[in-house]
């Protein structure tokens, strides 16, 4: 019975201790962890363990089952409590300690003291100072291996219950989430229903409000209608009573209004009279009208003005007798005023016409004077030209080209005129279909020439092939449409003529602005010339017509030829604003001479024909020699010689070598002074540049290749 009480007290003491409150993990053994792995505090026994330990101290050490269980069993002969037993206990405690390095000793100082007293009572002669010391006493293991196994089973069961609880908790949470979502959805539906109900209520309230307002409006309308009927009834009654008085008031008001209108008409009449008198003053003869208008016109205008003034005066005299002007009187006065204004305007227009006629007459007289002066100047120039020609004949120079050159020039012009006459029907057609064909042919001929540039040799070859195909009768695409010269009997002549005009125009505009552009244009023109000689003749004819200095030819002025017409023959542009200035003229002539100088030395590289060019360097030598055999012209000769030599000088030097430099020496020493003699001081710029060019060429015995000349590398691009 005593042992049961002791066991009960022991269990109660352990239960109340901190260790008794520890929750064990049933899987600690499987993971290889210590049983106290999850405990973080200090372990100790509860105060109830003191009584238990006191009772244990009176019993032999072997009776302490909790000590024996810790040491793995006690020997029956150990009642004497030898030191070896105590050492065995120490060894057991030491072996139990490494199972958890981070935990403190389990035994409290009280329990350690009990054990020490028991040891002293059993073995008083043994030295147990180390065991009894609270500092060196190891922790006491209170459970046996069976108890520990039981605790593990309990922990495993608790773990299972915990897992079940967690599963139940998760399931409950999921159900709770679903329930919350359903509740939220249901609440959202209720909210939408509530909002819809509110909207319906608001709509209903608005309808009710409109209905109320309509009813109120109808009530107000009925009231106003009733009031209006009552007011009209009273008004009718009052009118019947006050009708005589109203008649008198109405007559008085009418009289007053008549007086107001009469005074207003009288005031307007006075205004009209004043304006007519002022306008009549303008009809009186003045210094300007006397000079611009004939006396009969002035007299008629003055008489009619006096008549109109008399008409208005008659009306005004009526008002002096105390009468107001009537409506008919005002109408007559206004008509008189309008007629007076028209009379003034008519007289002013006649004055303006007379002034313009007088101005035209003066301009005509001035023009006649200018023409007389110009004719006198032409006579002087003609005499000077004849004198210069006589002097030139004496000195060996001439003013006109050689007969053979002039014959060749006239033949080319005749060819161009025949071609222009042949295509006149196509050029001036009124038929819509033929006119459309003419435009397409012209685009097919001129657009490729406009696209000529020095960008790449392949692009230049495509342009050449397109022009050659068009002239050969093939179909080419222009503006998205296929066109061919065979579509019209005059198609080939038309394309050839327009092509020649376009080449010359490119020299006149493009080459004049960009000198390097002469070579790609010239090489295409030269190739077309070689394959289609008729186009080459037309190019020369158009060039000679716009620039007669390319022949070279100085057209003489014939008797009776107007100055403007003669300037056109010389190459000047003459428009409504007059003759173009000298700088613009020289720029255009320079562009065309540069194009001509490039054509005579260029050859299309993809033609298999052999032999000389149809218009080669021999024509360039002829042009230069012919220029030096003619009297120089101020500013023109020096400019064109310099342009020609800059473009073609290198090629002529390679072709004629020593003969060329002899010609350059003659140009410098003999011909250049003649140019200086006919050039004024303000036009010496081109002469100075020509002199510098000649000096450099003769000093170095070399002329540099022109800028922009096409190299063999260009044709590989």
């Amino acid at each position: 019975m005593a042992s049961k009480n002791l066991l009960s007290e022991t269990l109660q003491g352990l239960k109340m201790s901190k260790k008794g409150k520890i929750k064990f993990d049933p899987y600690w053994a499987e993971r290889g962890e210590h049983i106290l792995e999850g405990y973080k505090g200090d372990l100790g026994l509860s105060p109830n363990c003191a009584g238990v330990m006191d009772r244990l101290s009176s019993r032999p050490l072997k009776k302490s089952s909790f000590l024996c269980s810790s040491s793995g069993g006690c020997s029956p002969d150990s009642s004497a409590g030898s030191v070896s037993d105590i050492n065995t206990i120490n060894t057991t405690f030491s072996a139990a300690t490494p199972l958890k390095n981070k935990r403190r000793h389990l035994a409290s100082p009280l329990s350690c003291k009990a054990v020490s007293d028991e040891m002293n009572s059993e073995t008083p002669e043994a030295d147990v100072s180390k065991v009894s010391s609270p500092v060196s006493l190891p922790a006491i293991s209170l459970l046996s291996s069976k108890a520990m196994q039981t605790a593990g089973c309990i922990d495993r069961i608790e773990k299972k219950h915990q897992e079940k609880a967690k599963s139940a908790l998760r399931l409950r949470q999921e159900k709770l989430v679903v329930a919350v979502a359903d509740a939220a959805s249901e609440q959202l539906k209720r909210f939408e229903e509530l909002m819809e109900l509110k909207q319906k209520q608001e709509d209903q309230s608005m309808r009710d409000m409109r209905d109320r307002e309509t009813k109120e409006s109808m009530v107000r309308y009925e009231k106003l209608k009733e009031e209006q009927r009552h007011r009209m009834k009273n008004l009718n009654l009052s009118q019947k009573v006050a009708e005589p008085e109203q008649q008198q008031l109405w007559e008085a008001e009418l009289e007053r209004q008549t007086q107001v209108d009469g005074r207003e008409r009288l005031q307007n009449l006075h205004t009209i009279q004043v304006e007519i008198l002022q306008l009549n003053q303008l009809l009186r003869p003045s210094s300007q009208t006397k000079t611009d208008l004939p006396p009969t016109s002035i007299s008629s205008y003055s008489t009619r003005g006096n008549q109109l003034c008399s008409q208005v005066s008659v009306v005004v005299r009526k008002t002096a007798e105390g009468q107001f002007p009537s409506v008919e009187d005002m109408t007559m006065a206004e008509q008189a005023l309008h007629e007076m204004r028209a009379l003034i305007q008519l007289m002013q227009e006649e004055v303006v016409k007379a002034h313009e006629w007088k101005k035209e007459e003066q301009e005509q007289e001035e023009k006649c004077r200018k023409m007389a002066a110009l004719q006198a100047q032409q006579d002087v120039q003609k005499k000077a030209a004849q004198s210069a020609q006589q002097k030139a004949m004496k000195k060996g120079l001439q003013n006109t080209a050689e007969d053979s050159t002039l014959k060749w020039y006239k033949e080319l012009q005749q060819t161009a005129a025949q071609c222009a006459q042949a295509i006149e029907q196509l050029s001036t057609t009124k038929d819509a279909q033929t006119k459309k064909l003419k435009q397409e042919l012209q685009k097919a001929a001129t657009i490729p020439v406009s696209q000529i540039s020095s960008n790449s040799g392949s692009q230049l070859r495509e342009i050449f092939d397109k022009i050659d195909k068009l002239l050969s009768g093939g179909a080419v695409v222009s503006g998205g449409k296929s066109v061919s010269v065979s579509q019209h009997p005059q198609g080939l002549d038309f394309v050839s003529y327009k092509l020649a005009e376009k080449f010359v125009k490119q020299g006149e505009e493009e080459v004049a602005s960009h000198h390097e552009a002469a070579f790609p244009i010239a090489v295409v023109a030269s190739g077309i010339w070689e394959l289609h000689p008729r186009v080459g003749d037309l190019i020369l004819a158009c060039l000679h017509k716009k620039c007669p200095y390319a022949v070279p030819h100085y057209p003489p002025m014939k008797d009776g030829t107007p100055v403007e017409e003669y300037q056109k023959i010389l190459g000047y542009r003459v428009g409504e604003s007059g003759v173009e200035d000298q700088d613009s003229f020289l720029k255009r002539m320079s562009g065309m001479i540069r194009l001509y100088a490039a054509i005579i030395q260029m050859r299309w590289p993809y033609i298999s024909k052999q032999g000389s060019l149809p218009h080669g360097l021999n024509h360039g030598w002829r042009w230069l020699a012919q220029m030096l055999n003619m009297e120089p012209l101020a500013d023109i000769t020096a400019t064109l010689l310099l342009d020609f030599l800059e473009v073609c000088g290198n090629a002529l030097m390679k072709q004629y070598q020593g003969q060329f430099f002899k010609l350059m020496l003659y140009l410098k020493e003999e011909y250049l002074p003649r140019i200086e003699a006919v050039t004024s001081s303000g036009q010496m710029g081109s002469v100075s540049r020509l002199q510098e060019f000649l000096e450099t060429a003769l000093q170095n015995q070399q002329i540099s290749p022109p800028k922009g000349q096409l190299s063999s590398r260009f044709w590989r691009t």
Side-chain angles (χ1 to χ4, degrees):
M1 187 67 181
S3 62
K4 289 183 178 180
N5 293 333
L6 180 62
L7 179 62
S8 176
E9 294 175 356
T10 302
L11 292 175
Q12 185 67 24
L14 291 174
K15 184 177 180 181
M16 298 300 295
S17 65
K18 292 182 179 180
K19 182 178 179 182
K21 298 178 181 180
I22 297 174
K23 293 182 180 181
F24 297 96
D25 186 4
Y27 301 103
W28 67 271
E30 296 176 2
R31 293 195 299 268
E33 295 178 356
H34 194 266
I35 190 172
L36 301 179
E37 182 67 25
Y39 185 72
K40 302 298 182 180
D42 296 331
L43 297 178
L45 298 176
S46 68
N48 297 331
C49 295
V52 178
M53 298 305 295
D54 290 339
R55 293 181 183 183
L56 288 176
S57 63
S58 62
R59 294 169 179 251
L61 186 62
K62 65 181 179 178
K63 299 297 181 178
S64 292
S65 61
F66 66 95
L67 291 176
C68 294
S69 64
S70 301
S71 61
C74 297
S75 173
D77 297 331
S78 59
S79 60
S82 62
V83 177
S84 61
D85 296 332
I86 296 174
N87 293 334
T88 304
I89 293 172
N90 291 336
T91 305
T92 304
F93 287 161
S94 301
T97 301
L99 295 176
K100 180 65 179 176
N101 294 329
K102 295 182 181 180
R103 297 286 183 263
R104 298 180 180 179
H105 298 297
L106 294 173
S108 66
L110 182 62
S111 62
C112 293
K113 182 178 179 181
V115 175
S116 177
D117 292 341
E118 185 179 356
M119 292 301 176
N120 290 334
S121 63
E122 294 294 328
T123 56
E125 63 274 11
D127 188 5
V128 291
S129 60
K130 295 182 179 180
V131 177
S132 62
S133 176
V135 176
S136 60
L137 186 64
I140 302 175
S141 177
L142 300 178
L143 296 177
S144 63
S145 59
K146 187 175 181 180
M148 293 170 63
Q149 185 176 2
T150 303
C153 293
I154 294 171
D155 289 341
R156 281 192 295 273
I157 294 172
E158 290 179 354
K159 185 67 176 178
K160 291 179 180 179
H161 284 293
Q162 289 178 358
E163 292 294 333
K164 290 180 180 180
K166 288 181 180 180
S167 301
L169 180 60
R170 282 194 299 270
L171 183 62
R172 183 181 177 186
Q173 288 177 346
E174 292 176 357
K175 291 180 178 180
L176 182 61
V177 169
V178 173
V180 169
D182 294 340
S185 177
E186 191 67 25
Q187 188 175 3
L188 181 61
K189 291 180 180 179
R190 299 288 85 75
F191 178 74
E192 292 177 351
E193 292 174 356
L194 180 61
M195 294 301 295
E196 185 177 358
L197 180 60
K198 286 184 178 180
Q199 185 67 30
K200 290 180 179 180
Q201 291 176 353
E202 290 177 358
D203 295 342
Q204 185 64 33
S205 63
M206 291 296 293
R207 286 193 294 271
D208 295 341
M209 185 183 299
R210 286 195 295 270
D211 293 341
R212 285 195 302 271
E213 290 177 354
T214 305
K215 291 179 181 179
E216 291 174 358
S217 300
M218 293 298 294
V219 172
R220 286 195 298 269
Y221 175 73
E222 292 296 333
K223 288 182 179 180
L224 291 174
K225 192 175 180 181
E226 185 65 26
E227 290 177 359
Q228 181 67 17
R229 283 197 299 268
H230 183 68
R231 192 179 296 111
M232 292 299 296
K233 185 177 180 181
N234 294 334
L235 183 60
N236 292 332
L237 292 174
S238 62
Q239 282 179 353
K240 290 179 181 180
V241 174
E243 186 172 353
E245 295 178 358
Q246 272 188 345
Q247 183 67 24
Q248 293 177 0
L249 292 175
W250 181 79
E251 290 176 355
E253 179 66 23
L254 182 61
E255 182 65 24
R256 189 186 64 81
Q257 187 65 35
T258 302
Q259 293 290 331
V260 171
D261 293 342
R263 283 193 292 270
E264 185 177 355
R265 287 195 297 272
L266 181 60
Q267 185 178 0
N268 292 337
L269 180 61
H270 290 162
T271 304
I272 291 172
Q273 184 184 19
V274 172
E275 186 174 354
I276 283 182
L277 291 174
Q278 291 176 352
L279 293 176
N280 192 35
Q281 293 291 331
L282 299 176
L283 293 176
R284 292 182 179 180
S286 62
S287 59
Q288 182 178 1
T289 55
K290 285 182 180 180
T291 56
D292 294 339
L293 294 178
T296 56
S297 297
I298 298 174
S299 177
S300 62
Y301 287 133
S302 180
T303 302
R304 184 54 184 164
N306 292 331
Q307 291 175 358
L308 294 174
C309 289
S310 299
Q311 291 177 6
V312 177
S313 298
V314 171
V315 178
V316 172
R317 278 195 297 271
K318 290 181 182 180
T319 60
E321 298 175 357
Q323 298 180 4
F324 290 116
S326 63
V327 178
E328 292 78 6
D329 294 336
M330 291 302 301
T331 302
M332 184 183 66
E334 290 177 355
Q335 289 178 354
L337 178 61
H338 289 314
E339 189 175 352
M340 180 66 78
R341 289 174 179 172
L343 197 64
I344 293 295
Q345 185 176 1
L346 185 62
M347 188 186 73
Q348 290 177 350
E349 290 177 356
E350 190 172 349
V351 169
V352 171
K353 289 180 180 179
H355 182 67
E356 291 179 352
W357 179 81
K358 187 176 181 180
K359 185 178 179 180
E360 290 178 358
E361 190 176 23
Q362 292 176 354
E363 290 178 353
Q364 189 68 23
E365 292 177 357
E366 183 68 22
K367 188 175 181 181
C368 291
R369 286 197 299 270
K370 288 183 178 179
M371 289 296 294
L374 189 58
Q375 187 65 33
Q377 185 180 1
Q378 291 177 4
D379 294 339
V380 173
Q381 289 179 353
K382 187 174 181 180
K383 291 179 181 179
Q386 292 175 356
S387 177
Q389 184 176 5
Q390 292 175 359
K391 292 180 180 179
M393 292 298 293
K394 293 178 181 179
K395 296 180 179 179
L397 296 180
Q398 55 191 15
N399 288 326
T400 59
E402 295 179 353
D403 294 339
S404 59
T405 304
L406 288 176
K407 182 180 178 181
W408 171 63
Y409 162 73
K410 291 177 181 179
E411 289 176 354
L412 290 175
Q413 295 302 314
Q414 187 177 2
T415 301
Q418 291 174 355
C419 184
Q421 186 177 2
I423 64 174
E424 184 177 1
Q425 182 181 356
L426 179 59
S427 301
T428 60
T429 181
K430 298 296 179 64
D431 182 62
Q433 192 70 23
T434 308
K435 187 181 294 185
K436 186 176 181 181
L437 176 61
K438 180 195 72 173
Q439 293 175 353
E440 292 176 355
L441 286 172
Q442 185 169 351
K443 289 180 181 179
T446 56
I447 290 177
V449 180
S450 302
Q451 296 173 347
I452 295 175
S453 65
S454 58
N455 293 337
S456 66
S458 58
Q459 180 184 4
L460 206 61
R461 188 171 183 180
E462 290 178 3
I463 294 172
F464 178 87
D465 293 340
K466 189 173 183 180
I467 298 173
D468 179 43
K469 185 177 181 181
L470 179 65
L471 292 172
S472 300
V476 298
V477 178
S478 178
K481 297 180 179 180
S482 179
V483 63
S484 172
V485 296
S486 59
Q487 292 176 297
H488 196 275
Q490 303 166 5
L492 181 59
D493 290 339
F494 179 79
V495 168
S496 301
Y497 193 82
K498 293 300 179 182
L499 196 61
E501 284 185 335
K502 186 61 178 178
F503 273 116
V504 176
K505 188 175 182 181
Q506 286 295 97
E508 185 181 12
E509 296 176 356
E510 183 67 21
V511 180
S513 301
H514 307 91
H515 294 169
E516 293 82 1
F519 293 97
I521 298 173
V523 73
V524 175
S526 178
I528 295 297
W529 193 334
E530 194 167 358
L531 294 178
H532 307 277
R534 180 175 174 78
V535 178
D537 293 341
L538 292 174
I539 290 174
L540 271 182
C542 293
L543 180 65
H544 292 166
K545 185 176 181 180
K546 286 193 173 184
C547 178
Y549 312 102
V551 179
H553 174 51
Y554 305 155
M557 185 174 183
K558 298 180 181 180
D559 295 337
T561 304
V563 177
E564 295 180 352
E565 187 66 27
Y566 179 62
Q567 287 174 331
K568 287 183 180 180
I569 295 173
L570 292 178
Y572 287 90
R573 283 179 175 173
V574 180
E576 295 180 357
S577 58
V579 184
E580 69 176 330
D581 58 275
Q582 187 70 6
D583 292 339
S584 175
F585 168 74
L586 289 175
K587 183 178 180 181
R588 292 191 303 106
M589 298 300 110
S590 174
M592 287 184 280
I593 286 296
R594 283 180 173 271
L595 177 63
Y596 178 68
I599 288 175
I600 61 178
Q601 62 175 312
M602 299 293 294
R603 186 168 198 167
W604 184 251
Y606 300 104
I607 293 180
S608 59
K609 288 185 178 181
Q610 300 296 328
S612 61
L613 292 170
H615 198 81
L617 284 174
N618 57 327
H619 289 272
W621 181 266
R622 179 200 58 77
W623 183 89
L624 184 58
Q626 187 70 48
M627 283 288 290
L628 298 181
N629 284 329
M630 298 175 68
E631 280 292 334
L633 299 178
D635 206 19
I636 297 177
T637 303
T639 301
L640 299 184
L641 281 174
L642 179 60
D643 290 326
F644 184 84
L645 291 173
E646 282 182 348
V647 177
C648 195
N650 181 264
L652 290 173
M653 178 195 69
K654 293 179 179 178
Q655 180 74 17
Y656 297 99
Q657 299 179 356
Q659 295 296 325
F660 175 74
F661 283 106
K662 288 180 181 180
L663 195 61
M664 292 296 99
L665 184 62
Y666 170 77
L667 174 57
K668 178 179 177 300
E669 294 182 353
E670 298 292 337
Y671 198 71
L672 191 60
R674 293 177 180 271
I675 298 176
E676 293 174 349
V678 298
T679 306
S680 61
S681 58
Q683 299 174 335
M684 293 299 292
S686 57
V687 178
S688 301
R689 290 191 295 271
L690 177 60
Q691 183 178 2
E692 183 180 357
F693 177 85
L694 293 173
E695 289 176 353
T696 303
L698 291 171
Q699 183 178 358
N700 299 330
Q701 291 293 301
Q702 180 71 26
I703 294 180
S704 302
K707 294 181 180 179
Q709 191 174 18
L710 304 180
S711 61
S712 57
R713 183 180 179 183
F714 168 79
W715 298 105
R716 294 194 293 271
T717 58

